[in-house]
């Protein structure tokens, strides 16, 4: 079996420079199919910049990003979403004046067949597709733990529910790879534990690969099957949770000796 068959994503010597600043320094990185992978590191280590290159927000200065067999480095975000990468954001980016259902429908847009003309004329097939899309959006909200939030504006939802709504919107794109950028930030311990279990369930139920940036080490060590560590834009360690906890470079750069112990 080839590396592409084993891995849904293969990034090779990916580099991002902003003027004289090297934000991501020739990183090699893979996401195995069906696994939960975490990317950790100190603030400013380049984690979100790396995410933004995978999703087309930034074009790499150099390097290759192969997703599901296709080179995607430098493609626009909508093309990468259509290919099968969905994401949430470190700072929640919902359409706050729209309802929860409408936010999920936005995510579903890349999978709908109706074009501009169909939206204007609205023949029967378009109406049927819209009705089916709304039903599917409601099902996703229930699946993500928001059974009674369908008609509420997303801006009025509690913080933890907004995080779940972002996941529902990402799942509406029908991804093969789900990127979660600090998904438990701001959650209380109970919400964090529930969300951690939810990530596992999403992977198991939908056969997704999951790549997660997360600062909560309890979450990282509890849910990850492999962890990659960045520091100053460079990969300094990679391995199982146990290997990362014992790695001296990680202890010095990020975890601290107390956390590792």
């Amino acid at each position: 079996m080839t590396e592409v068959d084993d891995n849904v994503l293969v990034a090779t010597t990916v580099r991002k420079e902003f003027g004289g600043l090297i934000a991501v320094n020739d990183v090699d990185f893979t996401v195995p199919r069906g696994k939960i992978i975490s990317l950790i590191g100190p603030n400013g280590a380049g984690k979100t910049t790396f995410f933004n290159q995978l999703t087309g927000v930034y074009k790499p200065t150099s390097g290759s990003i192969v997703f599901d067999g296709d080179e995607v480095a430098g493609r626009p975000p909508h093309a990468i979403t259509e290919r099968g990468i969905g994401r949430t954001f470190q700072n929640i980016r919902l359409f706050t004046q729209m309802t929860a259902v409408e936010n999920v429908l936005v995510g579903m847009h890349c999978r709908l067949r109706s074009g501009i003309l169909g939206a204007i004329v609205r023949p029967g097939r378009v109406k049927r597709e819209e009705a089916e899309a709304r039903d599917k959006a409601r099902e996703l909200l229930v699946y993500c733990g928001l059974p009674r939030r369908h008609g509420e504006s997303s801006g009025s939802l509690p913080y933890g529910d907004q995080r779940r709504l972002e996941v529902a919107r990402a799942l509406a794109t029908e991804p093969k790879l789900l990127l979660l950028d600090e998904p438990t930030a701001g959650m209380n311990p109970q919400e964090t534990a529930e969300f951690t279990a939810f990530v596992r369930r999403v992977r198991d139920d939908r056969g997704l690969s999951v790549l997660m940036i997360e600062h909560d080490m309890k979450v990282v060590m509890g849910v990850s099957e492999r962890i990659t560590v960045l520091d100053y834009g460079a990969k300094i360690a990679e391995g199982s949770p146990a290997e990362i906890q014992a790695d001296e470079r990680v202890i010095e750069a990020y975890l601290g000796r107390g956390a590792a112990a």
Side-chain angles (χ1 to χ4, degrees):
M1 185 175 286
T2 67
E3 186 178 31
V4 171
D5 292 328
D6 284 330
N7 299 301
V8 69
L9 183 136
V10 179
T12 307
T13 58
V14 171
R15 186 180 188 88
K16 183 61 183 176
E17 299 176 4
F18 297 100
L21 173 67
I22 301 174
V24 176
N25 191 358
D26 297 340
V27 170
D28 292 330
F29 182 83
T30 61
V31 178
R33 294 183 187 276
K35 301 297 184 182
I36 299 174
I37 307 299
S38 285
L39 186 64
I40 69 171
N43 289 331
K47 305 180 299 296
T48 295
T49 299
F50 187 70
F51 256 39
N52 285 338
Q53 292 178 100
L54 301 183
T55 57
V57 176
Y58 294 151
K59 181 179 180 180
T61 302
S62 60
S64 169
I65 301 171
V66 176
F67 174 69
D68 206 26
D70 286 346
E71 177 64 59
V72 297
R75 289 191 184 183
H78 72 271
I80 293 177
T81 299
E82 289 173 359
R83 190 77 186 92
I85 297 180
R87 75 169 293 180
T88 65
F89 294 88
Q90 181 177 354
N91 299 313
I92 295 174
R93 296 186 186 178
L94 297 171
F95 298 99
T96 56
Q97 301 305 312
M98 297 170 64
T99 67
V101 163
E102 289 167 343
N103 269 272
V104 177
L105 287 170
V106 169
M108 209 175 292
H109 176 74
C110 67
R111 302 301 173 199
L112 300 180
R113 295 183 296 276
S114 302
I116 295 175
L117 181 60
I120 295 172
V121 179
R122 292 178 55 77
R125 61 177 177 78
V126 171
K127 292 179 181 179
R128 285 193 298 274
E129 184 180 50
E130 289 179 354
E132 291 169 359
R134 283 190 172 274
D135 288 343
K136 184 176 179 181
R138 294 187 185 98
E139 289 172 4
L140 276 171
L141 289 172
V142 171
Y143 179 79
C144 292
L146 301 169
R148 292 178 293 277
R149 302 291 194 180
H150 301 176
E152 296 184 35
S153 66
S154 63
S156 70
L157 297 178
Y159 186 86
D161 286 349
Q162 289 189 19
R163 285 285 182 192
R164 287 179 175 271
L165 178 54
E166 268 211 321
V167 175
R169 185 176 63 184
L171 291 177
T173 69
E174 300 179 11
K176 300 172 187 175
L177 172 62
L178 179 62
L179 274 56
L180 304 174
D181 194 346
E182 297 195 31
T184 68
M187 290 187 179
N188 62 42
Q190 181 179 345
E191 289 173 329
T192 296
E194 290 172 353
F195 193 88
T196 302
F198 174 65
V199 170
R200 287 198 198 93
R201 181 161 64 89
V202 169
R203 188 276 307 272
D204 294 342
D205 290 349
R206 296 173 179 265
L208 300 177
S209 304
V210 178
L211 172 57
M212 181 170 62
I213 293 174
E214 182 54 68
H215 280 297
D216 188 325
M217 287 299 102
K218 186 175 181 181
V219 173
V220 170
M221 298 301 169
V223 76
S224 307
E225 289 157 296
R226 194 187 73 207
I227 301 168
T228 298
V229 187
L230 296 184
D231 192 27
Y232 293 105
K235 183 169 75 173
I236 64 168
E238 190 170 69
S240 68
E243 290 169 333
I244 293 302
Q245 284 180 304
D247 191 294
E248 287 293 329
R249 293 166 299 178
V250 179
I251 293 169
E252 293 295 336
Y254 185 56
L255 291 178
R257 294 192 176 277

